[in-house]
Structure formats: structure tokens, C-alpha cells
Amino acid sequence: MSEGLLVRADGLGKAFTRNGRTRWACRDVRFDLWQGEVLAVVGESGSGKSTLLKLLAARLPCDEGAVHYDVRDTGTGEGGLSDLAALSEARLRWLARTDWGFVEQQAREGLRMNVSAGANIGERLMALGARHYGRLRGEALHWMERVELDTERVDDLPGTYSGGMQQRLQIARNLVTQPRLVFMDEPTTGLDVSVQARLLDLLRELVADLHLSAIIVTHDLAVARLLAHRMLVMKDGQVVEQGLTDRVLDDPQHPYTQLLVSSVLTP
Ligand SMILES: Nc1ncnc2c1ncn2[C@@H]1O[C@H](COP(=O)(O)OP(=O)(O)OP(=O)(O)O)[C@@H](O)[C@H]1O
């Protein structure tokens, strides 16, 4: 295995059939993601970004190709770069609860709205067997501080939080198990511009401090510019261009990327 290689997407494809017609939502997607690297997936609505993210996080099975992930050996002898399709359900659940995070666009889809903020953060630790109340509460307070939430609100329900605060809580809930890879689906979309900017700053800081790898779906090139080392541009389910973020945005090669970039620059 190549040192530090975390994810290898090897010709991924997914087709959906609707009204008797089969259409590829994404096809022939290939890239490598290295430890500590942030990859942005950009493209217009319907280009296949969310479908690709679901394939990578094993939320959907691939119809073509394979996702390989560097599974940590937890003493079972299973480890190293592994085809997700060959892993057991239990192993995939374990990855989803520990080594991966998934930040949904709508925070309420990634939170449990009927339990307190503190319980939301502690839940993943409890799933791993943590039971000590003092430790769970300590971790909840620590992670609330880390994402700049008022720790006095640890017992409040997420529904009493603002949209931006809910998103911070969702991030804390994901990071508590110290995942190596976080998937994010439009993490700042739908928030006020100033809230977005502060959240992006926080994400950038967390990614660097925790040496996280992340795959971020966004239609916003500014998000890619701020957070991602590399980016992948999708159109009609295909990757039309990929490379270092600055190179792609400053010197786009594909006509579609040129159009995307110029539509942001032109008022
Ligand atoms: N469960 C599904 N059943 C049928 N078709 C689907 C399903 N999920 C996605 N598609 C189709 O696959 C294509 C890609 O959708 P996808 O949601 O991945 O795009 P996207 O780039 O994430 O778009 P958006 O930014 O609007 O979320 C679209 O044509 C969509 O209608």
C-alpha cells in the first residue's frame, strides 16, 4: 500500500432506473485521497455530487468500480487498503461510527433533535461502549468549546439552537470519535453569509489542527478555494477536470470549468 493513501476511488459508477429509463448518476470517477488532504467535489445541481459522496461513504452500493479505504487494523488482522464492498456490515458500521464522520447539509438530519446537545455529542462514544457519565459530559463540554458553542447550553435541545449553531453541534458530534475522514454535503449552504464565513473558518481550523481528511460536496467555488487542497469538477455524472484547487480555479482547462469560474467572477 502507498504510505498515507486513505481512499482510492476506482472507476465508480451508479445508475438509477426511473420510469423504465436507466441513467448514470455518476460514472468512471477516479481519484486518490491522502491522509490530511481535503478534496472538494463541485458541479451544478444534478451533476452527481451527492450520489458520489454516498458511494464513497458506503451509503449506496456501486454499480461499477470500487472504493478502497485504508481500514485501521483493530487487532482483528483485517486492515490496510480494502474494498468497501468486501467488508462485512458490522465492519462498515464500525467505520461509519468511528473512523468516518458525515456532515449533512441539513443539520437536523445529522442530529437527534429529541435529546440534548450533550447527548448528541456523547452518542457516538456510547456506541463504542463509553458509559462513564463524567467522561461523556467532559467530552461533550470539550467538543462544544472546540466548535465555539456556549457550554452553558449543553443540556438544551438542538431545536433551540440557531441554524449555524446546529451545524457546529453536528460537527462536534462527528468529531468526538476522532475520525480520520469526514464527508460533508454542502455544509454551509442555506446559512446566512456571515454565519457561513465563520463556519468555514472553523472548519478550516479543525481540518488543519486535527490533520483530518475530508471530501466536501459543494456548488460554491469559494468553499472549495478556502478549504480544499484539490478539487474535482463534475458535469452530467462525469469528472471533467481535477487537480490542485488553485490550479483549477486560476487556470481552468475544461470549457465547463471555465464557464463555472467565469460565472462567479462576472457580476
Ligand atoms: N434515489 C434516486 N433515484 C433516482 N434518481 C436519482 C436518485 N438519486 C439521485 N438521482 C438522480 O441522479 C442524478 C444526480 O443526482 P445527485 O443528487 O447526485 O446530484 P447533485 O450534483 O448532488 O445535485 P444537487 O446539488 O442538486 O444535490 C440526478 O439526475 C438525480 O435525479
Side-chain angles (χ1 to χ4, degrees):
M1 193 202 87
S2 317
E3 192 60 37
L5 181 61
L6 197 61
V7 179
R8 170 160 289 164
D10 193 7
L12 305 186
K14 182 76 194 168
F16 292 110
T17 303
R18 246 193 340 215
N19 304 326
R21 253 191 88 221
T22 299
R23 205 177 152 271
W24 288 94
C26 68
R27 197 163 198 196
D28 201 27
V29 178
R30 294 169 195 279
F31 65 85
D32 285 344
L33 182 81
W34 299 78
Q35 184 79 53
E37 204 177 25
V38 179
L39 176 75
V41 180
V42 306
E44 65 197 2
S45 182
S47 57
K49 308 182 296 294
S50 299
T51 302
L52 173 61
L53 202 66
K54 287 180 192 151
L55 296 180
L56 293 166
R59 291 184 167 200
L60 276 178
C62 300
D63 291 331
E64 276 184 359
V67 182
H68 296 275
Y69 181 71
D70 176 32
V71 179
R72 274 195 277 215
D73 186 352
T74 50
T76 59
E78 282 182 287
L81 209 60
S82 312
D83 180 351
L84 291 185
L87 297 181
S88 65
E89 275 295 316
R91 194 75 169 149
L92 284 174
R93 251 197 324 272
W94 176 83
L95 279 177
R97 281 182 181 164
T98 59
D99 221 25
W100 297 345
F102 200 110
V103 175
E104 311 272 358
Q105 177 182 346
Q106 301 292 340
R108 42 182 56 238
E109 285 175 23
L111 290 171
R112 287 222 290 134
M113 300 304 284
N114 55 351
V115 299
S116 70
N120 263 284
I121 300 176
E123 196 176 28
R124 271 166 61 111
L125 291 175
M126 288 182 72
L128 293 180
R131 289 289 177 270
H132 188 272
Y133 177 77
R135 182 188 162 217
L136 289 169
R137 191 156 180 95
E139 286 284 334
L141 294 172
H142 165 75
W143 281 101
M144 283 184 77
E145 251 171 46
R146 200 75 176 74
V147 299
E148 296 160 17
L149 283 172
D150 179 0
T151 51
E152 294 206 345
R153 298 194 58 172
V154 63
D155 296 317
D156 293 357
L157 291 176
T160 66
Y161 281 27
S162 70
M165 286 162 65
Q166 286 181 11
Q167 203 54 303
R168 285 165 189 267
L169 182 61
Q170 193 192 181
I171 291 164
R173 174 181 162 91
N174 274 282
L175 295 185
V176 68
T177 56
Q178 302 183 6
R180 286 188 300 166
L181 174 62
V182 181
F183 301 99
M184 301 188 205
D185 195 355
E186 305 270 10
T188 59
T189 303
L191 300 171
D192 284 353
V193 175
S194 63
V195 176
Q196 262 188 37
R198 287 207 299 276
L199 191 62
L200 282 172
D201 273 347
L202 174 72
L203 282 173
R204 188 164 60 165
E205 214 181 280
L206 287 169
V207 160
D209 289 357
L210 303 172
H211 197 56
L212 282 176
S213 303
I215 302 178
I216 304 178
V217 160
T218 180
H219 65 273
D220 187 343
L221 297 184
V223 171
R225 171 82 88 183
L226 204 70
L227 293 179
H229 303 107
R230 280 192 303 131
M231 59 188 283
L232 197 143
V233 182
M234 291 190 72
K235 181 179 190 305
D236 300 330
Q238 308 267 346
V239 175
V240 295
E241 183 159 358
Q242 58 177 310
L244 292 173
T245 303
D246 288 344
R247 201 283 295 152
V248 173
L249 293 180
D250 296 337
D251 184 22
Q253 300 296 305
H254 191 278
Y256 176 69
T257 319
Q258 290 167 356
L259 190 74
L260 271 186
V261 171
S262 67
S263 65
V264 176
L265 296 178
T266 316

